[in-house]
Amino acid sequence: MGGFGASAGPAQPASSGAFDTPWAAGAPAPVLTVSELTARIRQRLETDARLRQVWVRGEINSCKRHSSGHLYFTLQDEGATLRCVMFRSAARHLTFTPEDGMEVIAQGRVGVYEPAGTYQLYVDALEPAGLGALYLALEQRRRRLAREGLFDPQRKRPLPPFPRCIGVVTSADGAALRDILRVALGRHPRLRVVVAPVPVQGEGAAEAIAAAIARFNRWGGADVLIVGRGGGAREDLWTFNEEVVVRAVASSRIPVVSAVGHEIDVTLCDLAADVRAPTPSAAAALAVPELGRLEARLAELAGRLEGAVRRRLEQARQRLDELARRPGLRHPAQQVQAWRQRLRELQQDLTRAAVWRVAGERRRLEGLAGRLEALSPLAVLRRGYSITRDAEGRVLTDATAVTPGQAIEVLLARGRLEAEVRAVHPGAAGVAAEETTPATPSNREEGTWKQGSPGR
């Protein structure tokens, strides 16, 4: 049996069987277990200097991150598949997130995973193929933070129009700080500027910048923050793409102006800030109003206000002079006396009008009373007329309504008469068919009387 570690021996005749056996050649060859064979293969692969450090290009598939932090995936191309594992100690240094379908270049060593009897690549480094790892990590981080809403325009706040104090987070010995101070104090010499010096690149720079922003927020004395640095290579600006810096800018209660690099440089810090400035000098110009222009504007407004007040006072003075020329205000006692005289005249007119009105009403009332008296039945009786009623109290207006011998009652202006009808003479009103004589005491007792003139 040819294979790994086969020992040399004297030549033996070939076996006449259908297949060779370990002892067919004469000298017995060792029979290996699966584990022994796998171990020999592993030894051969791991001792091959050409396989101790290899670079492999392929497309990621079945990528999974274990809870332990290890990363498991396969690399494949058109003709083969290679299993890969990247332990936690190496995976934590990745600057991007491996995803299925991503073409990468893996660096590592070839080994054998004995329990499965398979060979695999133990990856020590991984980077995108044809695309820088930093750029890919930046794009992945940008998409993830955008989904969280950290770059939404709705959360952007306007800068205060008249800040009294600005905070600056940048390097203490960089040109950016000198530019910010020159522009800010040139526009507003009385402005208060508080600087939090921090490293702007290298290890620990991102954490220092985030801590400075948090200190300004706890202090609360700054009206606006400028966070940034001068220009540099893309790698030099990477600190301002770090997630800790972006979250510190987005969560700041104080409005933030981001001023990183030059106008062509755009970082995640720029996207999270309330205002992005192309340069540190432009950031100072955006955050600080020009005091000279403010003073000129205030002087203009003060002049306009003074002119308006003067015109108003002049109008009031003219009105006062006009009122002062009126007699009532020049001689108030005479005006009061004239008002009193006018009041007396009005009172006299009112009294006369009341008397005339009462007299007229009295005359009208007397006229109505006279008319009412003329229409009164008692007045008619006083003029000599009488009212005749039958025994049932019905007023008699027709002679035929009674018969001879029937008792009647005659009402006079004063008193009444009881009589008896002696005869009935139908005819026109006031025409006597037969003369009647007044009743004597004797026949009055009998209830008869002779009619004479009306009411007599």
Side-chain angles (χ1 to χ4, degrees), residues 32 35 51 58 72 74 90 136 177 192 215 230 259 261 263 283 287 290 299 313 321 329 334 337 345 355 391 417 425:
L32 302 177
S35 297
L51 302 178
Y72 299 94
T74 61
L136 179 61
L177 178 59
R192 183 184 181 189
R215 286 198 304 273
E263 186 171 2
E290 191 170 353
L313 289 176
D321 292 342
L329 294 180
Q334 295 179 1
Q337 183 63 30
E345 294 175 356
V355 171
L417 301 176
H425 305 281

Side-chain angles (χ1 to χ4, degrees), residues 345-378:
E345 294 175 356
L346 292 175
Q347 186 176 9
Q348 293 174 0
D349 293 344
L350 182 61
T351 302
R352 287 193 294 269
V355 171
W356 293 340
R357 181 63 180 273
V358 170
E361 291 297 325
R362 182 179 290 113
R363 289 191 296 271
R364 190 173 69 85
L365 183 60
E366 290 175 352
L368 292 175
R371 293 172 60 187
L372 185 61
E373 178 66 21
L375 297 175
S376 173
L378 296 178

Side-chain angles (χ1 to χ4, degrees), residues 171-247:
S171 174
D173 53 1
L177 178 59
R178 294 192 294 271
D179 291 342
I180 291 173
L181 294 177
R182 174 179 54 81
V183 175
L185 296 179
R187 295 170 66 89
H188 194 330
R190 294 191 291 274
L191 179 70
R192 183 184 181 189
V193 181
V194 179
V195 180
V198 294
V200 293
Q201 67 183 73
E203 186 175 358
E207 290 75 11
I209 293 172
I213 295 174
R215 286 198 304 273
F216 269 116
N217 277 269
R218 288 195 300 270
W219 175 48
D223 300 309
V224 64
L225 295 181
I226 297 178
V227 179
R229 57 156 293 162
R234 182 178 294 272
E235 292 76 13
D236 297 334
L237 307 180
W238 186 259
T239 298
F240 295 89
N241 289 321
E242 294 290 351
E243 185 170 343
V244 63
V245 175
V246 177
R247 291 192 180 277

Side-chain angles (χ1 to χ4, degrees), residues 86-105:
M86 191 174 192
F87 294 124
R88 179 178 57 187
S89 57
R92 66 183 181 181
H93 295 295
L94 286 174
T95 57
F96 70 101
T97 302
E99 299 174 352
D100 287 355
M102 184 182 296
E103 188 175 7
V104 296
I105 297 176

Side-chain angles (χ1 to χ4, degrees), residues 35-264:
S35 297
E36 290 173 342
L37 178 59
T38 303
R40 289 192 179 189
I41 296 174
R42 175 181 179 182
Q43 181 182 9
R44 176 62 62 90
L45 290 176
E46 292 182 353
T47 56
D48 189 339
R50 294 170 299 178
L51 302 178
R52 289 178 182 174
Q53 185 174 0
V54 296
W55 294 87
V56 182
R57 184 188 187 109
E59 180 181 311
I60 293 178
N61 191 16
S62 303
C63 184
K64 296 180 181 179
R65 185 180 292 272
H66 196 269
S67 59
S68 62
H70 304 328
L71 193 63
Y72 299 94
F73 57 95
T74 61
L75 287 179
Q76 63 185 24
D77 57 17
E78 296 83 357
T81 298
L82 175 62
R83 295 183 61 179
C84 302
V85 58
M86 191 174 192
F87 294 124
R88 179 178 57 187
S89 57
R92 66 183 181 181
H93 295 295
L94 286 174
T95 57
F96 70 101
T97 302
E99 299 174 352
D100 287 355
M102 184 182 296
E103 188 175 7
V104 296
I105 297 176
Q107 181 268 322
R109 58 183 177 85
V110 177
V112 175
Y113 182 56
E114 296 183 23
T118 58
Y119 80 96
Q120 59 186 11
L121 182 66
Y122 293 89
V123 181
D124 296 323
L126 192 67
E127 68 178 32
L131 185 64
L134 290 179
Y135 177 80
L136 179 61
L138 175 64
E139 181 60 21
Q140 290 178 339
R141 185 176 301 159
R142 185 196 65 78
R143 292 199 302 263
R144 177 165 52 83
L145 296 179
R147 287 194 298 268
E148 296 182 23
L150 269 63
F151 307 144
D152 288 348
Q154 290 77 8
R155 57 170 300 276
K156 308 292 185 180
R157 296 161 295 183
L159 300 181
F162 306 110
R164 294 173 297 177
C165 174
I166 65 170
V168 181
V169 180
T170 188
S171 174
D173 53 1
L177 178 59
R178 294 192 294 271
D179 291 342
I180 291 173
L181 294 177
R182 174 179 54 81
V183 175
L185 296 179
R187 295 170 66 89
H188 194 330
R190 294 191 291 274
L191 179 70
R192 183 184 181 189
V193 181
V194 179
V195 180
V198 294
V200 293
Q201 67 183 73
E203 186 175 358
E207 290 75 11
I209 293 172
I213 295 174
R215 286 198 304 273
F216 269 116
N217 277 269
R218 288 195 300 270
W219 175 48
D223 300 309
V224 64
L225 295 181
I226 297 178
V227 179
R229 57 156 293 162
R234 182 178 294 272
E235 292 76 13
D236 297 334
L237 307 180
W238 186 259
T239 298
F240 295 89
N241 289 321
E242 294 290 351
E243 185 170 343
V244 63
V245 175
V246 177
R247 291 192 180 277
V249 170
S251 62
S252 174
R253 296 188 301 272
I254 305 172
V256 176
V257 179
S258 177
V260 181
H262 301 298
E263 186 171 2
I264 61 174

